[in-house]
């Protein structure tokens, strides 16, 4: 959950997720729908499916996690960083870890003068992380310390160098380069978008939603939309009625201005693999992105 998501956001979902899936066996049995519903609002939904697939792999291989990085890396969704974190923290193995925060620390600490996220920086950071974890006394404490320093001290801007336990060994601190290391990477272009959404209701007050099958937010339930600029699939034949609300929302590098209209179907729709009539009061059981919850809230159709 913490991959690419801030702690204060994750905390709202963590306990709820563990209550619903208290162990690896219960997660392994879960359907896409139930896992995605518990994840709704966190974004990057591929993480949820990979977590469930990883649980199935573990259960299928005896139900016990290995303490070896190579074995852990065979679990779907577990990369080099996660495997190293599990091996070192759970089993105290001398396994290196590098994510964006730790790459920043090691760039400053060792003077690795490469752009953030570049292959050259990551190669240098992994080599330095291995060297340090090999020399430390307790790998689990050392790696968790690196994580905490990256989150709380060695921040991207205005790092708290005076309170950093590594400052006596830090190249950037000694050379007054904490603000220039690592070098900035070129930002992806931001796309401004305008997307129409439709609130289509049946006689029972249910809202029509479409199941996405494209690359972005696949298997999630979405409100019918007016074009294909955001999602795949042909636009639903809807007659737009009253403009109910507008709001802005950001998805990765897309800044979207949503316009929410009441809508009336031009064709008959039945529940099938693509569309489903959903009671707004039951949205917590439906996998949906946060912009859908926001749209239902601003028009007063949420639970």
């Amino acid at each position: 959950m913490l991959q690419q998501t801030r702690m204060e956001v994750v905390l709202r979902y963590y306990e709820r997720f563990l209550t619903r899936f208290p162990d690896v066996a219960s997660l392994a049995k879960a359907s896409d729908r139930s896992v995605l519903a518990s994840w709704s609002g966190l974004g990057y939904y591929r993480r949820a499916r990979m977590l469930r697939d990883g649980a199935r792999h573990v259960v299928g291989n005896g139900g016990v996690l290995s303490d070896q990085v190579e074995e852990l890396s065979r679990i779907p969704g577990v990369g080099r960083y996660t495997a190293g974190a599990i091996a070192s923290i759970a089993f105290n193995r001398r396994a290196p870890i590098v994510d964006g925060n730790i790459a920043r620390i090691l760039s400053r600490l060792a003077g690795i003068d490469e752009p953030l996220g570049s292959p050259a920086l990551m190669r240098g950071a992994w080599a330095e992380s291995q060297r340090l974890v090999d020399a430390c006394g307790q790998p689990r404490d050392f790696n968790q310390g690196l994580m905490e320093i990256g989150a709380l001290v060695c921040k991207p801007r205005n790092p708290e160098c005076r309170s950093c336990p590594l400052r006596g060994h830090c190249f950037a601190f000694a050379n007054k380069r904490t603000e220039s290391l690592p070098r900035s990477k070129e930002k992806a272009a931001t796309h401004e978008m305008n997307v129409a959404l439709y609130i289509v209701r049946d006689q029972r007050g249910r809202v029509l939603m479409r199941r996405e099958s494209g690359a972005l937010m696949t298997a999630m339930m979405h409100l019918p939309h007016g074009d294909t600029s955001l999602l795949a699939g042909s636009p639903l034949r809807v007659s737009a009625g009253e403009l109910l609300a507008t709001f802005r929302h950001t998805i990765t590098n897309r800044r979207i201005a949503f316009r929410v209209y009441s809508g009336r179907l031009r064709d008959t729709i039945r529940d099938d693999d693509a569309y489903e009539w959903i009671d707004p009061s039951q949205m917590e059981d439906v996998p949906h992105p946060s912009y859908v919850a926001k749209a239902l809230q601003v028009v007063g159709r949420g639970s």
Side-chain angles (χ1 to χ4, degrees), residues 45-56 75-78:
Y45 295 100
R46 183 173 178 270
R47 297 178 299 174
R49 288 188 291 271
M50 293 298 284
L51 186 62
R52 193 278 315 281
D53 292 346
R56 289 180 175 175
I75 300 172
V78 174

Side-chain angles (χ1 to χ4, degrees), residues 8 52 62 69 104 127 133 174 176 203 222 231 274 291 297:
E8 59 269 25
R52 193 278 315 281
V69 168
R104 180 175 64 252
V133 79
K176 298 181 171 55
Q203 294 180 342
H222 298 264
L231 301 169
Y291 87 83
Q297 181 179 29

